[in-house]
Amino acid sequence: MTADEVKARVRDFFTRFLKSAEVKDDQDIFASGLVNSLFALQMVLFVEKVFQLSLGEEDLQIENFRTINAMTGLILKKRW
């Protein structure tokens, strides 16, 4: 899976759950107030399930989930 494909899947995830908001690839979703703690857990479960990854405690840093670009980077790092 390419970086563009990963980014597209992550973007689709946000589009499904944040129907009224368009999220840019470098937009801080936490600072924007788009995410609450429950949604943060859903993001982690999405990454693990869709990309068949096991995230460790060191991966669960907010910096890895702040933006679509950050999530894409985490996924690509864990896949290779």
Short mmCIF file of all heavy atoms in Angstrom, two decimals, residues 4-6 9 12-14 20-21 30-31 33 41-42 44 46 48-49 51 53 64-65 68-69 73 75:
data_model
loop_
_atom_site.label_atom_id
_atom_site.label_comp_id
_atom_site.label_asym_id
_atom_site.label_seq_id
_atom_site.Cartn_x
_atom_site.Cartn_y
_atom_site.Cartn_z
N ASP A 4 -0.03 7.40 -0.56
CA ASP A 4 -1.27 8.04 -1.02
C ASP A 4 -2.49 7.18 -0.71
O ASP A 4 -3.54 7.70 -0.35
CB ASP A 4 -1.20 8.32 -2.52
CG ASP A 4 -0.26 9.47 -2.86
OD1 ASP A 4 0.01 10.30 -1.97
OD2 ASP A 4 0.20 9.53 -4.01
N GLU A 5 -2.35 5.87 -0.84
CA GLU A 5 -3.46 4.97 -0.52
C GLU A 5 -3.78 4.98 0.98
O GLU A 5 -4.93 4.99 1.38
CB GLU A 5 -3.15 3.54 -0.98
CG GLU A 5 -3.12 3.41 -2.49
CD GLU A 5 -2.55 2.07 -2.95
OE1 GLU A 5 -1.66 1.51 -2.27
OE2 GLU A 5 -3.01 1.58 -4.00
N VAL A 6 -2.73 4.98 1.79
CA VAL A 6 -2.92 5.05 3.26
C VAL A 6 -3.61 6.35 3.61
O VAL A 6 -4.59 6.38 4.36
CB VAL A 6 -1.57 4.91 4.00
CG1 VAL A 6 -1.74 5.22 5.48
CG2 VAL A 6 -0.98 3.52 3.80
N ARG A 9 -7.28 6.33 2.82
CA ARG A 9 -8.08 5.54 3.78
C ARG A 9 -8.29 6.31 5.07
O ARG A 9 -9.38 6.28 5.64
CB ARG A 9 -7.40 4.21 4.09
CG ARG A 9 -7.13 3.30 2.91
CD ARG A 9 -8.17 2.32 2.46
NE ARG A 9 -8.91 1.54 3.38
CZ ARG A 9 -8.75 0.26 3.64
NH1 ARG A 9 -7.77 -0.41 3.08
NH2 ARG A 9 -9.57 -0.38 4.44
N ASP A 12 -10.79 9.07 4.41
CA ASP A 12 -12.14 8.50 4.35
C ASP A 12 -12.71 8.24 5.74
O ASP A 12 -13.89 8.46 5.99
CB ASP A 12 -12.15 7.20 3.54
CG ASP A 12 -11.96 7.41 2.05
OD1 ASP A 12 -12.10 8.56 1.58
OD2 ASP A 12 -11.66 6.43 1.37
N PHE A 13 -11.85 7.77 6.64
CA PHE A 13 -12.27 7.53 8.02
C PHE A 13 -12.78 8.83 8.64
O PHE A 13 -13.85 8.87 9.25
CB PHE A 13 -11.09 6.97 8.83
CG PHE A 13 -11.35 6.89 10.30
CD1 PHE A 13 -12.14 5.88 10.84
CD2 PHE A 13 -10.80 7.83 11.16
CE1 PHE A 13 -12.37 5.82 12.21
CE2 PHE A 13 -11.02 7.77 12.52
CZ PHE A 13 -11.82 6.76 13.04
N PHE A 14 -12.02 9.91 8.49
CA PHE A 14 -12.44 11.19 9.04
C PHE A 14 -13.72 11.69 8.38
O PHE A 14 -14.60 12.23 9.06
CB PHE A 14 -11.34 12.24 8.90
CG PHE A 14 -10.26 12.09 9.93
CD1 PHE A 14 -9.00 11.65 9.58
CD2 PHE A 14 -10.51 12.37 11.26
CE1 PHE A 14 -8.01 11.50 10.53
CE2 PHE A 14 -9.52 12.23 12.22
CZ PHE A 14 -8.28 11.79 11.85
N SER A 20 -19.60 16.89 8.98
CA SER A 20 -19.77 18.32 8.73
C SER A 20 -18.44 19.06 8.60
O SER A 20 -18.43 20.26 8.33
CB SER A 20 -20.59 18.94 9.86
OG SER A 20 -19.90 18.80 11.08
N ALA A 21 -17.34 18.38 8.80
CA ALA A 21 -16.05 19.05 8.77
C ALA A 21 -15.15 18.47 7.68
O ALA A 21 -15.08 17.27 7.52
CB ALA A 21 -15.36 18.90 10.13
N PHE A 30 -6.99 17.90 17.03
CA PHE A 30 -7.19 18.12 18.47
C PHE A 30 -7.35 19.60 18.76
O PHE A 30 -8.26 20.01 19.47
CB PHE A 30 -6.05 17.50 19.27
CG PHE A 30 -6.07 16.00 19.26
CD1 PHE A 30 -5.32 15.30 18.33
CD2 PHE A 30 -6.84 15.29 20.16
CE1 PHE A 30 -5.35 13.91 18.30
CE2 PHE A 30 -6.88 13.90 20.14
CZ PHE A 30 -6.13 13.21 19.21
N ALA A 31 -6.47 20.42 18.20
CA ALA A 31 -6.54 21.87 18.41
C ALA A 31 -7.80 22.45 17.79
O ALA A 31 -8.33 23.45 18.28
CB ALA A 31 -5.30 22.54 17.82
N GLY A 33 -10.65 21.11 17.85
CA GLY A 33 -11.81 20.70 18.63
C GLY A 33 -12.68 19.67 17.95
O GLY A 33 -13.82 19.45 18.35
N LEU A 41 -9.95 7.11 20.72
CA LEU A 41 -9.89 5.64 20.82
C LEU A 41 -10.34 4.99 19.53
O LEU A 41 -9.76 3.98 19.10
CB LEU A 41 -10.77 5.15 21.98
CG LEU A 41 -10.25 5.45 23.37
CD1 LEU A 41 -11.29 5.06 24.42
CD2 LEU A 41 -8.94 4.74 23.63
N GLN A 42 -11.35 5.55 18.89
CA GLN A 42 -11.81 5.01 17.61
C GLN A 42 -10.72 5.12 16.55
O GLN A 42 -10.58 4.22 15.71
CB GLN A 42 -13.06 5.75 17.14
CG GLN A 42 -14.29 5.40 17.96
CD GLN A 42 -15.49 6.22 17.55
OE1 GLN A 42 -15.42 7.44 17.45
NE2 GLN A 42 -16.58 5.53 17.30
N VAL A 44 -7.47 4.93 17.06
CA VAL A 44 -6.50 3.87 17.35
C VAL A 44 -7.03 2.53 16.86
O VAL A 44 -6.31 1.78 16.18
CB VAL A 44 -6.18 3.81 18.86
CG1 VAL A 44 -5.34 2.59 19.19
CG2 VAL A 44 -5.47 5.09 19.31
N PHE A 46 -9.25 2.00 14.55
CA PHE A 46 -9.28 2.04 13.09
C PHE A 46 -7.91 1.68 12.52
O PHE A 46 -7.80 0.84 11.63
CB PHE A 46 -9.69 3.45 12.63
CG PHE A 46 -9.32 3.77 11.21
CD1 PHE A 46 -10.04 3.25 10.16
CD2 PHE A 46 -8.23 4.59 10.92
CE1 PHE A 46 -9.69 3.53 8.84
CE2 PHE A 46 -7.88 4.89 9.63
CZ PHE A 46 -8.61 4.36 8.57
N GLU A 48 -5.42 0.03 13.90
CA GLU A 48 -5.07 -1.38 14.17
C GLU A 48 -5.86 -2.34 13.30
O GLU A 48 -5.29 -3.30 12.75
CB GLU A 48 -5.29 -1.70 15.65
CG GLU A 48 -4.28 -1.04 16.55
CD GLU A 48 -4.38 -1.48 18.00
OE1 GLU A 48 -5.51 -1.73 18.49
OE2 GLU A 48 -3.32 -1.61 18.63
N LYS A 49 -7.15 -2.10 13.15
CA LYS A 49 -8.00 -3.03 12.40
C LYS A 49 -7.77 -2.93 10.89
O LYS A 49 -7.52 -3.94 10.23
CB LYS A 49 -9.47 -2.75 12.72
CG LYS A 49 -10.42 -3.66 11.99
CD LYS A 49 -11.86 -3.35 12.35
CE LYS A 49 -12.80 -4.25 11.56
NZ LYS A 49 -14.19 -3.87 11.76
N PHE A 51 -5.37 -1.51 9.09
CA PHE A 51 -4.01 -1.71 8.60
C PHE A 51 -3.33 -2.91 9.24
O PHE A 51 -2.15 -3.15 9.02
CB PHE A 51 -3.19 -0.43 8.79
CG PHE A 51 -3.76 0.72 8.01
CD1 PHE A 51 -4.56 1.67 8.63
CD2 PHE A 51 -3.55 0.83 6.65
CE1 PHE A 51 -5.11 2.72 7.91
CE2 PHE A 51 -4.08 1.87 5.92
CZ PHE A 51 -4.88 2.82 6.55
N LEU A 53 -2.33 -3.64 12.29
CA LEU A 53 -1.16 -3.27 13.08
C LEU A 53 -1.46 -3.47 14.55
O LEU A 53 -2.60 -3.41 14.98
CB LEU A 53 -0.79 -1.80 12.85
CG LEU A 53 -0.42 -1.40 11.44
CD1 LEU A 53 -0.23 0.10 11.37
CD2 LEU A 53 0.84 -2.11 11.00
N ASN A 64 1.28 11.38 17.02
CA ASN A 64 1.05 10.41 15.95
C ASN A 64 -0.37 10.46 15.39
O ASN A 64 -0.65 9.84 14.37
CB ASN A 64 1.33 8.99 16.45
CG ASN A 64 2.79 8.74 16.66
OD1 ASN A 64 3.64 9.30 15.97
ND2 ASN A 64 3.11 7.91 17.62
N PHE A 65 -1.27 11.18 16.07
CA PHE A 65 -2.68 11.20 15.67
C PHE A 65 -3.21 12.61 15.44
O PHE A 65 -4.38 12.79 15.17
CB PHE A 65 -3.51 10.49 16.74
CG PHE A 65 -3.24 9.03 16.82
CD1 PHE A 65 -2.25 8.54 17.66
CD2 PHE A 65 -3.93 8.13 16.03
CE1 PHE A 65 -1.96 7.18 17.72
CE2 PHE A 65 -3.65 6.77 16.07
CZ PHE A 65 -2.67 6.30 16.92
N ILE A 68 -3.81 14.05 9.62
CA ILE A 68 -3.85 12.94 8.67
C ILE A 68 -2.43 12.56 8.26
O ILE A 68 -2.09 11.38 8.17
CB ILE A 68 -4.71 13.31 7.44
CG1 ILE A 68 -6.19 13.41 7.86
CG2 ILE A 68 -4.52 12.31 6.30
CD1 ILE A 68 -7.12 13.93 6.79
N ASN A 69 -1.59 13.56 8.06
CA ASN A 69 -0.19 13.29 7.69
C ASN A 69 0.53 12.51 8.79
O ASN A 69 1.29 11.58 8.50
CB ASN A 69 0.56 14.59 7.41
CG ASN A 69 0.14 15.22 6.10
OD1 ASN A 69 -0.35 14.56 5.20
ND2 ASN A 69 0.33 16.53 5.99
N GLY A 73 2.08 8.75 8.50
CA GLY A 73 3.47 8.46 8.83
C GLY A 73 3.61 7.31 9.83
O GLY A 73 4.45 6.43 9.67
N ILE A 75 1.45 4.85 10.38
CA ILE A 75 1.04 3.61 9.71
C ILE A 75 2.17 3.09 8.82
O ILE A 75 2.51 1.90 8.85
CB ILE A 75 -0.26 3.82 8.93
CG1 ILE A 75 -1.41 4.08 9.91
CG2 ILE A 75 -0.56 2.63 8.02
CD1 ILE A 75 -2.63 4.73 9.28
#
